[in-house]
Amino acid sequence: MTTPQHPEDFLHAIRARSAAEDGIFWVDDTRLGVFEAEAARRVSATNWRRFVLHDRLIDMLRRRHSTEVRWSEIRSAWLTQLHTLATAEHQGALLDRMERIIDERLGEDVDLVMLTQDVALRSMLPVALSGITEGEAELVRRDLEMKLLRLVSPTPAGIWHRLRFVGVQLRSGLVVRRVLRQRAHGKRPRQLDLADPFVDLLPRLGMDRALDVVTTVLTAIGGPPGTAAASLLYEFVRHPEWQELLTEELAAVDPVEFRTAPTHAAPVTHRFVKEVLRLWSPPLLLVRRNQFSFDFGKTRLEPGDWYLLSPHLIHRDERLWKEPDVFDPDRFLPGAPHGPADRTCYVPFGWAPKKCVGANIGTVQLMGLCRLLCTRYQLTVDRPEDLRMALRFAPVPEDFRGRLVLR
Ligand code: HEM
């Protein structure tokens, strides 16, 4: 197959092919598409069953062997921190930060994709890396914004932009190194964030691997949460009937219960968020390198081969979902005939054992955004009837401009 260059055409082409070829086929000479739900689950489980963090380049340069650190150890450190952060106090602080950031832009005519990106990233940054100066936070944010712009921009960046990008990336990396080192030497207080566990692990991990681990989290909060928030606004604007249902629920919800456990406190809103994540799962394609031989029956992956996964294509698979292109949060009502047939069909946060560690806090953030939209702000969008979603590295609403004012 000749691969169309535009990401949108590419995605449409592989969706059509996936339907015709049962979800598993060579997308081109080097990449196997694994878009069948059960196969995606199995290949992920096998591929990452013993994933170890190496320091290969540094080991080679220094002619040494660094200690192996298992990825499961890294994940369990993140999950422990996130569990401690899952309280009314910390979740409430996240929602308050979102409100403050939106308040700064009240009444302005804004690009809503950039605004939601800013709100999602700046409110989540202290969860990943806190206790940093405004200047340090600015550098980290600029690095993440540049990474994201490169991914969502329809045109490739020029040479100067690329050089600036590398410069910002290096300086942002220096911030992370400095924070970890100073915390380790008692020159900065320890924090309840996703970087802190690696201060204790520094002697085993070394600074390069610790930086990689913290960068993984920073990159994870720099992309999907913001694009998911933009998609949420997009569906919110397009569905006044759901705006009404959500407002009814959220105006009556107990604020403390909402901060503690929003998915229980506001089930209608939870269904709305789940449906947004089903239709518009970011990122649209995940590229993975295979580590062990894997037999799919009709074809095989060998170690070193590449494969593609896509929550988006699984969520749009007509064999799994009735009318998959229709936005209908009620498919998540228990027993709904158009709901997910089983757990492998709904995978907005990916697959074990690499599944997104931020799934819960990411959901809290999106539900908090719904509450702000329904109870605090009034959103007006330019030409809502012309709204259209572009498919880049993630779904991105095009020409999505508008303003938020207080109700
Ligand atoms: C709605 C918001 C979010 C979405 C849709 C999302 C989605 C994803 C997806 C699809 C993956 C890849 C999983 C795989 O490879 O199977 C992932 C990985 C990851 N996410 Fe998220 N994510 C979100 C929010 C967050 C947040 C808020 C955090 C941190 C606080 C986070 C941290 C991570 C990390 C650390 C990984 C890498 C896990 C690993 O490599 O083991 N994510 N996310």
Side-chain angles (χ1 to χ4, degrees), residues 71 75 78 124 220-221 224-225 288 348-351 354 356-358:
W71 192 249
R75 288 179 57 89
W78 283 331
M124 197 58 85
I221 64 161
R288 299 287 181 244
F349 297 105
W351 295 265
K354 286 273 282 181
C356 174
V357 294

Side-chain angles (χ1 to χ4, degrees), residues 309-328:
L309 298 172
S310 173
H312 177 80
L313 290 181
I314 290 176
H315 296 162
R316 300 289 186 125
D317 190 332
E318 287 181 350
R319 287 164 296 207
L320 305 173
W321 298 87
K322 278 203 185 108
E323 297 191 279
D325 296 333
V326 173
F327 181 83
D328 181 4

